[in-house]
Amino acid sequence: MKRFLFLSMLIFIAVMIYVSVHEKEDHTPLPQKLEKAMKLTRMKEYHDDDYDYVVRYPAFFEQTADSLLDRGCSRFSFWQDSTEIVQTTFVGPNADSLTIEKAMEKYATELHATKQQKGEDYFILSGALHSDHSGIGGRRFYAKFVKHRRLWFVQTLAYPEDCEQAVQKLICEIKDWKVWKNVN
């Protein structure tokens, strides 16, 4: 019996050593893991009851509950290992009745945008993310402003520079965003 217990213990220890030595740790960088997750995830839809707009976001993003307190706002985020990606939508007044061109010029200056694209009823800005007077190291933004009457419907994405390839699916979602799904 002692021999059986001793052999069992040795086999158990040998198996544990084998498993711990041969266990493969995933050393894939987070941006690559995120890119794979973005390709495989399904997109959820959020419908804003106040302004009746629809926004799509990755299923693994978390909807921030307090974003529902402000009328017309929504916020979805992903956070892991000091990597944060935030997708936000909000509605703001076009108090000055700015045209697409004037608004694009104004917001491009305010946001320090390095890229601009204008459409019929929208414009898109992107560039390095800035705080009050300086850039936020390694962070970027992508934003679409859609004009409707005296309102701006805005969807933004803020993300780490090293995740730019990983968020391409979201950038395409924002670029192709139609505020209302059934617009002809």
Side-chain angles (χ1 to χ4, degrees), residues 31 83-84 127-129 136-141 158-167:
T83 297
E84 183 181 30
L129 199 57
I136 300 174
R139 303 274 304 161
R140 301 197 51 79
F141 79 93
Y159 57 93
E161 203 168 48
D162 64 346
C163 291
E164 187 145 21
Q165 186 60 39
V167 298

Side-chain angles (χ1 to χ4, degrees), residues 58-110:
F60 63 92
F61 273 39
E62 185 177 314
Q63 183 173 9
T64 306
D66 62 355
S67 70
L68 299 176
L69 297 177
D70 294 334
R71 193 169 176 247
C73 293
S74 62
R75 184 176 194 265
F76 310 94
S77 59
F78 169 81
W79 177 270
Q80 185 177 339
D81 301 336
S82 74
T83 297
E84 183 181 30
I85 300 171
V86 179
Q87 181 180 0
T88 309
T89 311
F90 62 92
V91 179
N94 184 4
D96 299 330
S97 297
L98 296 174
T99 63
I100 297 292
E101 293 80 10
K102 290 292 183 185
M104 185 168 71
E105 183 181 312
K106 174 187 175 187
Y107 291 115
T109 301
E110 285 180 12

Side-chain angles (χ1 to χ4, degrees), residues 154-179:
V154 183
Q155 187 175 174
T156 66
L157 181 66
Y159 57 93
E161 203 168 48
D162 64 346
C163 291
E164 187 145 21
Q165 186 60 39
V167 298
Q168 284 305 305
K169 181 176 182 176
L170 270 177
I171 288 174
C172 288
E173 283 286 336
I174 295 171
K175 182 180 180 183
D176 297 338
W177 182 44
K178 304 289 185 220
V179 176

Side-chain angles (χ1 to χ4, degrees):
M1 183 73 158
K2 288 181 184 181
R3 205 179 276 186
F4 175 74
L5 287 174
F6 181 73
L7 283 173
S8 297
M9 188 61 107
L10 278 178
I11 291 172
F12 176 75
I13 292 171
V15 168
M16 293 306 290
I17 290 172
Y18 177 82
V19 167
S20 66
V21 168
H22 288 84
E23 184 179 328
K24 300 274 185 196
E25 269 192 54
D26 188 1
H27 295 290
T28 307
L30 184 59
Q32 290 176 352
K33 289 180 188 175
L34 186 59
E35 184 175 1
K36 184 177 181 181
M38 287 289 215
K39 287 178 182 175
L40 298 175
T41 193
R42 67 180 179 82
M43 298 298 281
K44 287 183 161 183
E45 286 189 351
Y46 168 76
H47 176 260
D48 181 80
D49 293 330
D50 295 319
Y51 290 97
D52 201 33
Y53 69 80
V54 175
V55 109
R56 290 170 41 97
Y57 63 97
F60 63 92
F61 273 39
E62 185 177 314
Q63 183 173 9
T64 306
D66 62 355
S67 70
L68 299 176
L69 297 177
D70 294 334
R71 193 169 176 247
C73 293
S74 62
R75 184 176 194 265
F76 310 94
S77 59
F78 169 81
W79 177 270
Q80 185 177 339
D81 301 336
S82 74
T83 297
E84 183 181 30
I85 300 171
V86 179
Q87 181 180 0
T88 309
T89 311
F90 62 92
V91 179
N94 184 4
D96 299 330
S97 297
L98 296 174
T99 63
I100 297 292
E101 293 80 10
K102 290 292 183 185
M104 185 168 71
E105 183 181 312
K106 174 187 175 187
Y107 291 115
T109 301
E110 285 180 12
L111 297 172
H112 305 279
T114 53
K115 293 183 182 173
Q116 304 173 24
Q117 177 185 345
K118 185 176 86 65
E120 189 174 315
D121 65 344
Y122 72 89
F123 62 92
I124 296 172
L125 303 174
S126 62
L129 199 57
H130 282 72
S131 62
D132 294 333
H133 299 292
S134 63
I136 300 174
R139 303 274 304 161
R140 301 197 51 79
F141 79 93
Y142 187 89
K144 183 173 185 177
F145 294 71
V146 180
K147 183 180 175 185
H148 179 69
R149 297 185 182 143
R150 296 183 67 90
L151 295 173
W152 289 108
F153 289 79
V154 183
Q155 187 175 174
T156 66
L157 181 66
Y159 57 93
E161 203 168 48
D162 64 346
C163 291
E164 187 145 21
Q165 186 60 39
V167 298
Q168 284 305 305
K169 181 176 182 176
L170 270 177
I171 288 174
C172 288
E173 283 286 336
I174 295 171
K175 182 180 180 183
D176 297 338
W177 182 44
K178 304 289 185 220
V179 176
W180 301 278
K181 286 184 80 166
N182 298 324
V183 174
N184 293 333

